[in-house]
Amino acid sequence: MMKRLVRNPGKFEALEVFTAFSREHDYKLKSPEDTEKFLEQFGESLKASQENQILLHGKRMEACFGQVAAGLQGCRLIKTEDTGDVISDDADILLPDYRLVLKDGRQIFVEVKNTSVPNPTSTYLLRKDYVAKLQRYSELNGVPLYFAIYYRCLRMWTLLPVNSFIELKHKYETTPIHSLANNEMAMLGDVNVGTKPPLVFELVADNSKDASVDEENRASFICGDVKMYCAEKEIEDHDEKNIAFYLMRFGRWECGEPEGEMDENGKLHSVRFTFNPESLEDFERNGFAMFGSLSSMITEAYNEHTVYEQEVTAITPKADPDVFSVEIPKDYKGKALGLWCFIMQANPDFKIGSEEKMHYKYTVDKS
């Protein structure tokens, strides 16, 4: 389980911000007048940033990727790379957003991008001169550079090395579909998860207390128990319940209207919330249906803590990364909740506009 290391921002970072401002404005450290100027200027700068929605969403998704990488449990260390002073004999470099140390000891740099291209075949471009500056820093450190791109139209993360992009004269090109075909999020531990529908969340009424349903079908009762079901089989194992609840909350299956269940005496027994995929075609063909990728579900959980009514409420919340994720053991064997876990591998031969299929490696639990 990954934890954010404890820091003391009040002690150190306030002084670091003052130092950065003083280099530009020649503020003196112990000058009351300069301190007042700094506080006023800092307040104006913060206010301008708070009103810049593009900046807020960009910084939020940059922070989100760090939580996603931590929640996927494929890293030993996740460090923000582009902070603090840098002194170099090469002024024509840019620092990427993150340095990741993977479980196998490899290190990679990651630059995070967030795009609102409208559909899966829309073109996404990166300027070559911008990429070249990042690559110069990458080469200085001997650490390969990747781009993590979040496509809002698909609600999915992709992780791409530079050589997977289509090279144009002045830019690099990709599309959401092309990015998915070249996606290397699996190196961080990402999987696509499926199970048998439906998943059911049931609130069971306490039969020793009054329970009723009024003329407008509004139920009033005291909850005495919570039950969950997968394909009508009750989930009783604690860990399986945690996984099922997480999939229901943050996966892509849809929840219908709550349904009341009555006992043989006509008294309210329970209220059930049933989750099904948008289409049952995959289930009818394969015997299971997909919830989506774990990285997408972590992002949905992160959104709950940082966005309210489409307004950014926080860049990084206080919670540790395990709050946004769920652990699915590699040797998982469900008693009632059977899972299909697909590990997507990059297909470097995939080209934009081609009809080649993406390749998958997968493990299956049919229990």
Side-chain angles (χ1 to χ4, degrees):
M1 183 182 299
M2 302 196 77
K3 295 283 187 181
R4 186 181 292 110
L5 299 184
V6 177
R7 302 183 64 194
N8 189 342
K11 182 176 181 180
F12 299 109
E13 294 186 10
L15 185 59
E16 291 172 0
V17 173
F18 179 86
T19 302
F21 271 72
S22 67
R23 280 200 299 267
E24 183 177 350
H25 301 284
D26 197 28
Y27 292 151
K28 300 298 185 290
L29 183 60
K30 294 189 177 182
S31 166
E33 182 180 348
D34 286 350
T35 299
E36 288 299 321
K37 289 179 181 177
F38 160 71
L39 291 173
E40 181 179 356
Q41 189 173 24
F42 182 80
E44 292 173 353
S45 177
L46 177 60
K47 185 177 180 180
S49 296
Q50 290 170 330
E51 295 173 353
N52 186 335
Q53 294 301 311
I54 294 176
L55 174 65
L56 291 178
H57 280 288
K59 294 301 291 183
R60 188 184 71 85
M61 290 308 295
E62 181 183 315
C64 177
F65 176 78
Q67 304 299 308
V68 167
L72 294 176
Q73 302 176 21
C75 297
R76 295 191 61 198
L77 179 72
I78 299 162
K79 180 184 179 297
T80 302
E81 187 74 8
D82 61 347
T83 56
D85 287 342
V86 177
I87 300 173
S88 172
D89 63 357
D90 185 354
D92 202 28
I93 60 174
L94 282 175
L95 277 65
D97 295 314
Y98 286 99
R99 178 193 293 262
L100 306 185
V101 180
L102 307 182
K103 287 285 179 68
D104 61 9
R106 286 180 296 162
Q107 295 190 37
I108 63 171
F109 286 138
V110 179
E111 179 76 352
V112 180
K113 313 302 291 183
N114 171 39
T115 177
S116 57
V117 294
N119 61 66
T121 58
S122 300
T123 298
Y124 180 71
L125 299 170
L126 293 170
R127 295 195 325 272
K128 270 190 175 180
D129 56 348
Y130 159 70
V131 175
K133 292 178 181 180
L134 290 164
Q135 285 182 302
R136 288 172 73 87
Y137 183 80
S138 174
E139 291 164 2
L140 278 172
N141 286 271
V143 175
L145 174 67
Y146 286 76
F147 284 85
I149 306 175
Y150 183 73
Y151 290 104
R152 277 184 268 171
C153 63
L154 299 176
R155 292 157 56 199
M156 293 185 70
W157 285 99
T158 61
L159 185 67
L160 308 173
V162 177
N163 61 14
S164 71
F165 288 84
I166 305 300
E167 187 172 358
L168 306 178
K169 186 175 182 180
H170 299 294
K171 296 180 180 179
Y172 290 104
E173 177 187 10
T174 186
T175 68
I177 292 296
H178 177 260
S179 293
L180 285 175
N182 289 274
N183 187 16
E184 297 196 28
M185 283 291 291
M187 78 165 67
L188 307 184
D190 202 10
V191 295
N192 285 271
V193 183
T195 191
K196 294 180 180 180
L199 282 185
V200 175
F201 182 82
E202 182 179 38
L203 299 175
V204 181
D206 184 342
N207 59 16
S208 67
K209 303 289 194 309
D210 290 336
S212 62
V213 179
D214 65 20
E215 294 178 354
E216 296 181 1
N217 286 326
R218 290 182 300 191
S220 176
F221 65 99
I222 303 297
C223 183
D225 196 5
V226 174
K227 295 187 176 184
M228 300 181 201
Y229 304 85
C230 176
E232 305 304 331
K233 187 175 182 179
E234 184 175 356
I235 304 169
E236 298 180 295
D237 180 80
H238 175 74
D239 292 335
E240 289 183 47
K241 280 187 172 182
N242 284 341
I243 295 171
F245 187 58
Y246 186 86
L247 295 176
M248 286 186 276
R249 286 189 68 194
F250 303 118
R252 297 196 176 187
W253 288 11
E254 298 176 347
C255 180
E257 292 293 324
E259 298 179 341
E261 297 287 326
M262 314 303 286
D263 63 18
E264 63 275 8
N265 298 317
K267 185 179 178 181
L268 180 69
H269 170 70
S270 67
V271 175
R272 292 164 63 99
F273 299 83
T274 302
F275 293 79
N276 276 301
E278 184 177 354
S279 169
L280 292 175
E281 181 179 343
D282 286 343
F283 170 63
E284 293 167 353
R285 181 174 59 247
N286 302 316
F288 64 92
M290 302 303 297
F291 265 98
S293 65
L294 187 55
S295 60
S296 294
M297 288 184 260
I298 295 171
T299 302
E300 293 297 320
Y302 189 82
N303 290 345
E304 260 195 13
H305 285 73
T306 56
V307 176
Y308 180 71
E309 294 185 349
Q310 299 185 329
E311 289 288 332
V312 176
T313 57
I315 303 299
T316 303
K318 184 179 180 180
D320 280 318
D322 61 291
V323 170
F324 311 116
S325 187
V326 67
E327 183 177 0
I328 302 175
K330 292 186 183 299
D331 59 351
Y332 174 86
K333 293 292 181 182
K335 299 172 184 175
L337 180 70
L339 297 180
W340 281 255
C341 296
F342 289 74
I343 302 171
M344 183 175 180
Q345 295 183 322
N347 175 10
D349 297 325
F350 187 95
K351 303 299 180 184
I352 291 178
S354 76
E355 298 301 324
E356 298 175 59
K357 294 183 179 179
M358 292 178 252
H359 296 307
Y360 291 90
K361 171 187 175 183
Y362 61 91
T363 57
V364 180
D365 169 20
K366 293 183 179 180
S367 59

